Amino acid sequence: MNIKKIFSLVLIFSFAFFICTCSKNDEAKKIYKAGTYTASALGGNETELSLSVSFSDSEITDIRIIEHSESPGISDIALERIPKEIIEYQSLGIDAVSGATLSSKAIIKAVGKAVVQAGGDLESLLSKKIEREAIEKTPVELESDVVVIGAGGAGLAATVSAHQNGASVIVVEKMPNIGGNTIICGASYNAVDPKRQKALGIEDSIEKHYSQTYEGGDKLGKPEMIQTLVENAYPSIEWLESLGMEFKDTVFTVLGGLWPRAHKPKLPLGTGFISTYMNYIKGKKDIQVFVETKALELIKEDGRVVGIIAEGPQNIFTIKAKKGVIIATGGFSANIEMRDKYNKIWPSLTEMKTTNHKGAKGDGLLMAENIGANLIGLEHIQLLPMGDPKTGSLLGNIEQNVENRIFVNTDGNRFVDEGARRDVMTMALLKQKDALMYIILDSHSYPNKETKNNFNESMTDLLKKGKAVEANTLEELAKKIGVDANNLKKAVADFNKAVDMGKDKFGRTLYQDKINKAPYYAGARKPTVHHTMGGIEINSKTEVLDKNGNIIPGLYAAGECTGGIHGANRLGGNALADITVFGRIAGKNATNNNF
Ligand code: ADP
């Protein structure tokens, strides 16, 4: 064989090998049946999230969310980030967005269903680990007049107020989304209102709001703080209105609110508050909001707080505050260790769920304590009798107003004044079998099935999600929820008599309509951790106090991270008033600080 021949043979073999491996690779790359597939999964609000996924032979090329009822402001980041990451990494093994876990998981699950339709290997996609490059975080130094820690209702009120008073502001928020508990709450705001209450013929006064708050907290709240709260609650509604926020004309009694002075924003849940603040903040060059940025410690120099250290996804920030630092980090309802450490009043809370967002860990209390602040009232942890039995959330709660519903235990008997303080009702519920109760109400609360509850869910939604049960008679309702029908009928009959008399054996005083208008509805509820009344001690100017009662210069605190206002029990509807009133004060005083 001559050289030429050998060379040609080698060429032929290599070409054949090349063709062979090429077609084999092409085969290997064909992992999907190219096309677009639709799929859905149950999202964060127990409603379907549907999406479409487009595939080429070898890749997921596009994901589009078609329809969802995820919570606005909370799940937005998941809806944007998760599809992007699935495409970028061609994996379903990506991390959920913190604070929007259920929405993230719903997207991953629905994409997984589409992968199966396209003939892909779901298991390998789910188990494909993402190798993210380790980032060395670069140090960054920033400065503003005021630094706010936490972008919940208190922090954002403080931010806007500081800016209105002439300050530049930097806000750090550890979660990917802003809004804290405010954006997920039922949004009832207590204020003695000369306009709306008068139009509805409701008698009220600042003194009454004061005494109900003071006595409702077992006289443990500081009088100076309560006075500031009740006097400024209505002016703060007017302030919010001046920023463009709209409230409904109705005023009602919220659970444990003791009096019809709760206001409701026109937008659902607490989104009205947060969008109002964000509309103000948007485009202001001298307000910077950093999300996914966690404050780690306060910087104290010569006895004065002068800034914070915070950690973001790519940086370690040293942020100096020329005027003041405002802690607005919320309470510790989502911190099981802290709850267990301070709880002296309730049976064990270790297993109890919470209504709070998962960032409510008490960070601010610990940071403040580390530099000498005084913490007060930490044993006062508020439970609500209104948690979803599975999740502890307030979603799915069929209640409309206190006057028109009763609670029955699993025997079908009433067991408490349903207009009482929150701690009284929850303590009574904890003594019932399985600590489980049913809210019973009728069509006075839902004139039609599209009437929405305080969490923007219609009765149609609630029935679909299994949060409510409907029946045309009480007998049928009792059967559906598994309680004794005679007991339930008697409980309702006794209640209806009490509506006429204005009182009953439980001492209930709040009544409106009888429960006598079919269809009837029932919804199951359990105790849940809702609010921590204790926290950083402040004065009515929101200045933080040390263990000797002295002001710590440069440091302010507002909202649920503070203590000394609500005492042993917070009235329903007083939290939004608290965070708005004291957030505003903190913003103003931190700006006008002349230290
Ligand atoms: P409030 O009702 O008093 O405003 P929230 O709990 O609603 O309290 O809001 C507090 C906000 O502070 C939440 O958005 C929470 O994620 C944020 N936060 C808590 N700890 C930190 C921290 N260490 N750094 C930055 N933000 C924090």
Side-chain angles (χ1 to χ4, degrees), residues 469-481:
V469 170
E470 182 185 30
N472 279 323
T473 63
L474 288 171
E475 202 139 33
E476 191 190 333
L477 193 71
K479 206 163 162 197
K480 283 190 171 171
I481 57 175

Side-chain angles (χ1 to χ4, degrees), residues 206-268:
I206 296 284
E207 293 71 33
K208 193 176 198 72
H209 192 185
Y210 176 94
S211 65
Q212 288 184 326
T213 303
Y214 184 58
E215 279 155 30
D218 287 338
K219 303 186 180 173
L220 291 174
K222 296 203 286 187
E224 168 211 8
M225 301 302 293
I226 300 174
Q227 194 61 36
T228 306
L229 169 71
V230 296
E231 271 175 11
N232 289 287
Y234 187 69
S236 293
I237 285 193
E238 289 181 310
W239 176 69
L240 286 162
E241 287 174 333
S242 76
L243 293 168
M245 182 162 170
E246 290 184 292
F247 286 88
K248 293 181 180 170
D249 290 331
T250 47
V251 175
F252 67 107
T253 311
V254 65
L255 175 98
L258 310 182
W259 203 253
R261 63 170 75 91
H263 295 65
K264 211 142 255 310
K266 282 196 178 161
L267 289 180

Side-chain angles (χ1 to χ4, degrees), residues 149-155 172-175 177 179-182 293-296 328-331 357 359-360 363-364 367 558-561 579:
I149 311 175
V172 295
E173 166 55 56
K174 71 175 178 180
M175 301 298 279
N177 67 283
N181 279 328
T182 297
T293 302
K294 180 178 180 179
L296 304 175
T329 48
H357 72 98
D363 298 2
M367 280 187 274
E560 198 180 335
C561 65
I579 66 177

Side-chain angles (χ1 to χ4, degrees), residues 354-365:
T354 177
T355 61
N356 280 217
H357 72 98
K358 67 192 263 195
K361 302 274 191 199
D363 298 2
L365 280 66

